[in-house]
Coordinates of all heavy atoms in Angstrom, one line a residue:
D325 N -4.3 -35.0 -48.8 CA -4.0 -33.6 -49.2 C -3.9 -32.7 -48.0 O -3.3 -31.6 -48.2 CB -5.2 -33.1 -50.1 CG -5.3 -34.0 -51.3 OD1 -4.4 -34.0 -52.1 OD2 -6.3 -34.7 -51.4
C326 N -4.5 -33.1 -46.9 CA -4.3 -32.2 -45.7 C -4.4 -33.0 -44.5 O -5.3 -33.9 -44.3 CB -5.5 -31.2 -45.7 SG -5.4 -30.1 -44.3
V328 N -4.9 -33.4 -40.5 CA -5.6 -32.8 -39.3 C -5.0 -33.5 -38.1 O -5.4 -34.7 -37.8 CB -7.1 -32.9 -39.4 CG1 -7.8 -32.3 -38.2 CG2 -7.6 -32.3 -40.7
L351 N 5.6 -31.3 -46.6 CA 5.1 -30.0 -46.9 C 3.5 -30.0 -47.0 O 3.0 -29.0 -47.5 CB 5.7 -29.4 -48.1 CG 7.2 -29.2 -48.0 CD1 7.8 -28.8 -49.4 CD2 7.5 -28.1 -47.0
K352 N 2.9 -31.1 -46.7 CA 1.5 -31.1 -46.8 C 0.8 -30.1 -45.9 O 1.3 -29.9 -44.8 CB 1.0 -32.5 -46.5 CG 1.2 -33.5 -47.7 CD 0.4 -34.7 -47.5 CE 1.0 -35.9 -48.3 NZ 0.6 -35.8 -49.7
P353 N -0.3 -29.5 -46.3 CA -1.1 -28.7 -45.4 C -1.4 -29.4 -44.1 O -1.7 -30.6 -44.1 CB -2.3 -28.4 -46.1 CG -2.0 -28.6 -47.6 CD -1.0 -29.6 -47.6
H354 N -1.2 -28.7 -43.0 CA -1.3 -29.3 -41.7 C -2.1 -28.4 -40.7 O -1.8 -27.3 -40.6 CB 0.1 -29.5 -41.1 CG 0.3 -30.4 -40.0 ND1 0.9 -31.6 -40.0 CD2 -0.2 -30.3 -38.7 CE1 0.9 -32.2 -38.8 NE2 0.2 -31.4 -38.0
I355 N -3.2 -29.0 -40.1 CA -3.9 -28.2 -39.2 C -3.8 -28.9 -37.8 O -3.9 -30.1 -37.7 CB -5.5 -28.2 -39.6 CG1 -5.6 -27.5 -40.9 CG2 -6.3 -27.6 -38.5 CD1 -7.0 -27.7 -41.5
P381 N 1.2 -23.1 -37.6 CA 0.6 -21.8 -37.8 C -1.0 -21.9 -37.9 O -1.6 -20.9 -37.7 CB 1.1 -21.4 -39.2 CG 1.8 -22.6 -39.8 CD 2.1 -23.6 -38.7
H382 N -1.5 -23.1 -38.0 CA -3.0 -23.3 -38.1 C -3.5 -24.1 -37.0 O -3.5 -25.3 -37.0 CB -3.4 -23.9 -39.5 CG -2.7 -23.2 -40.6 ND1 -3.1 -21.9 -41.0 CD2 -1.7 -23.5 -41.4 CE1 -2.4 -21.5 -42.0 NE2 -1.5 -22.5 -42.3
V383 N -4.0 -23.4 -35.9 CA -4.5 -24.1 -34.7 C -6.0 -23.8 -34.6 O -6.4 -22.7 -34.8 CB -3.7 -23.6 -33.5 CG1 -4.3 -24.2 -32.2 CG2 -2.2 -23.8 -33.6
V384 N -6.7 -24.9 -34.3 CA -8.2 -24.8 -34.1 C -8.5 -25.5 -32.8 O -8.0 -26.6 -32.6 CB -9.0 -25.5 -35.3 CG1 -10.4 -25.4 -35.0 CG2 -8.6 -24.9 -36.6
K397 N -16.6 -26.7 -37.0 CA -17.1 -26.1 -38.2 C -16.0 -25.4 -39.0 O -16.0 -25.3 -40.3 CB -18.1 -25.0 -37.8 CG -19.2 -24.8 -38.8 CD -20.4 -24.2 -38.2 CE -20.2 -22.7 -37.7 NZ -21.4 -22.1 -37.2
K398 N -14.9 -25.0 -38.3 CA -13.8 -24.2 -39.0 C -12.9 -25.1 -39.8 O -12.2 -24.7 -40.7 CB -13.0 -23.5 -38.0 CG -13.7 -22.3 -37.4 CD -12.6 -21.6 -36.5 CE -13.3 -20.6 -35.6 NZ -12.5 -20.3 -34.4
I399 N -12.8 -26.4 -39.4 CA -11.7 -27.3 -39.9 C -11.8 -27.4 -41.4 O -10.8 -27.3 -42.2 CB -11.8 -28.7 -39.2 CG1 -11.5 -28.5 -37.7 CG2 -10.7 -29.6 -39.9 CD1 -11.7 -29.7 -36.9
F400 N -13.0 -27.7 -41.9 CA -13.2 -28.0 -43.3 C -12.9 -26.8 -44.2 O -12.1 -26.9 -45.1 CB -14.6 -28.6 -43.5 CG -15.0 -29.0 -44.9 CD1 -14.1 -29.7 -45.7 CD2 -16.2 -28.6 -45.5 CE1 -14.4 -30.0 -47.0 CE2 -16.5 -29.0 -46.8 CZ -15.6 -29.7 -47.5
P401 N -13.5 -25.6 -44.0 CA -13.1 -24.5 -44.8 C -11.6 -24.1 -44.7 O -11.0 -23.8 -45.8 CB -13.9 -23.3 -44.2 CG -14.9 -23.9 -43.3 CD -14.5 -25.3 -43.0
L402 N -11.0 -24.3 -43.6 CA -9.6 -24.0 -43.4 C -8.8 -25.0 -44.3 O -7.9 -24.6 -45.0 CB -9.2 -24.1 -42.0 CG -7.7 -23.9 -41.7 CD1 -7.2 -22.5 -42.2 CD2 -7.4 -24.0 -40.2
A403 N -9.2 -26.3 -44.2 CA -8.5 -27.3 -45.0 C -8.6 -27.0 -46.5 O -7.6 -27.1 -47.3 CB -9.1 -28.7 -44.8
Q404 N -9.8 -26.6 -46.9 CA -10.1 -26.2 -48.3 C -9.1 -25.1 -48.8 O -8.5 -25.1 -49.8 CB -11.5 -25.7 -48.4 CG -12.4 -26.5 -49.3 CD -13.8 -26.0 -49.3 OE1 -14.4 -25.9 -48.2 NE2 -14.3 -25.7 -50.4
E405 N -9.0 -24.1 -47.9 CA -8.2 -23.0 -48.2 C -6.7 -23.4 -48.3 O -6.0 -23.0 -49.3 CB -8.4 -22.0 -47.1 CG -7.7 -20.6 -47.3 CD -7.8 -19.8 -46.0 OE1 -8.8 -19.8 -45.3 OE2 -6.8 -19.2 -45.6
L406 N -6.2 -24.2 -47.4 CA -4.8 -24.6 -47.4 C -4.5 -25.5 -48.5 O -3.4 -25.3 -49.1 CB -4.5 -25.3 -46.0 CG -4.6 -24.5 -44.8 CD1 -4.2 -25.3 -43.5 CD2 -3.7 -23.2 -44.8
I407 N -5.4 -26.4 -48.9 CA -5.2 -27.2 -50.1 C -5.1 -26.4 -51.3 O -4.3 -26.6 -52.2 CB -6.2 -28.3 -50.2 CG1 -6.1 -29.3 -49.0 CG2 -6.1 -29.1 -51.5 CD1 -7.3 -30.3 -48.8
G408 N -6.0 -25.4 -51.4 CA -6.1 -24.5 -52.6 C -4.7 -23.8 -52.8 O -4.3 -23.6 -53.9
E409 N -4.1 -23.5 -51.7 CA -2.8 -22.8 -51.8 C -1.6 -23.7 -51.9 O -0.5 -23.2 -52.1 CB -2.6 -22.0 -50.5 CG -3.5 -20.8 -50.2 CD -3.5 -20.3 -48.8 OE1 -2.7 -20.9 -48.0 OE2 -4.2 -19.4 -48.5
S410 N -1.8 -25.0 -51.8 CA -0.7 -25.9 -51.7 C -0.3 -26.5 -53.1 O -1.1 -26.5 -54.0 CB -0.9 -27.0 -50.7 OG -1.9 -27.9 -51.3
N411 N 0.9 -27.0 -53.1 CA 1.3 -27.8 -54.3 C 1.0 -29.2 -54.1 O 1.5 -29.8 -53.1 CB 2.8 -27.6 -54.5 CG 3.4 -28.3 -55.7 OD1 2.7 -29.2 -56.2 ND2 4.6 -28.0 -56.1
R412 N 0.1 -29.8 -54.9 CA -0.3 -31.2 -54.6 C 0.5 -32.3 -55.2 O 0.2 -33.4 -55.1 CB -1.8 -31.3 -55.0 CG -2.7 -30.4 -54.2 CD -4.1 -30.5 -54.6 NE -4.8 -31.7 -54.2 CZ -5.9 -32.2 -54.7 NH1 -6.4 -31.6 -55.7 NH2 -6.4 -33.3 -54.3
C421 N -10.4 -34.3 -52.8 CA -9.5 -33.9 -51.7 C -9.7 -34.8 -50.6 O -10.8 -35.1 -50.2 CB -9.7 -32.5 -51.3 SG -9.2 -31.3 -52.5
L423 N -8.8 -35.7 -46.5 CA -8.3 -35.3 -45.2 C -7.9 -36.5 -44.4 O -8.6 -37.5 -44.5 CB -9.3 -34.5 -44.4 CG -10.0 -33.3 -44.9 CD1 -10.9 -32.7 -43.8 CD2 -8.9 -32.2 -45.2
P473 N -17.0 -28.8 -53.4 CA -15.9 -29.6 -54.0 C -16.0 -31.0 -53.3 O -16.4 -31.2 -52.2 CB -14.6 -28.9 -53.6 CG -15.0 -28.1 -52.4 CD -16.4 -27.8 -52.5
F475 N -14.9 -33.8 -51.3 CA -14.1 -33.9 -50.2 C -14.3 -35.2 -49.4 O -15.5 -35.5 -49.1 CB -14.3 -32.7 -49.2 CG -13.2 -31.8 -49.1 CD1 -13.0 -30.8 -50.1 CD2 -12.2 -31.9 -48.1 CE1 -11.9 -29.9 -50.0 CE2 -11.2 -31.0 -48.0 CZ -11.0 -30.0 -49.0

Side-chain angles (χ1 to χ4, degrees):
D325 302 293
C326 179
V328 179
L351 298 169
K352 284 195 198 279
H354 193 113
I355 297 171
H382 309 289
V383 176
V384 178
K397 213 160 62 178
K398 284 187 199 157
I399 298 171
F400 182 44
L402 177 59
Q404 241 174 306
E405 187 190 319
L406 297 179
I407 295 170
E409 293 165 357
S410 74
N411 180 344
R412 297 177 72 201
C421 289
L423 301 185
F475 247 83

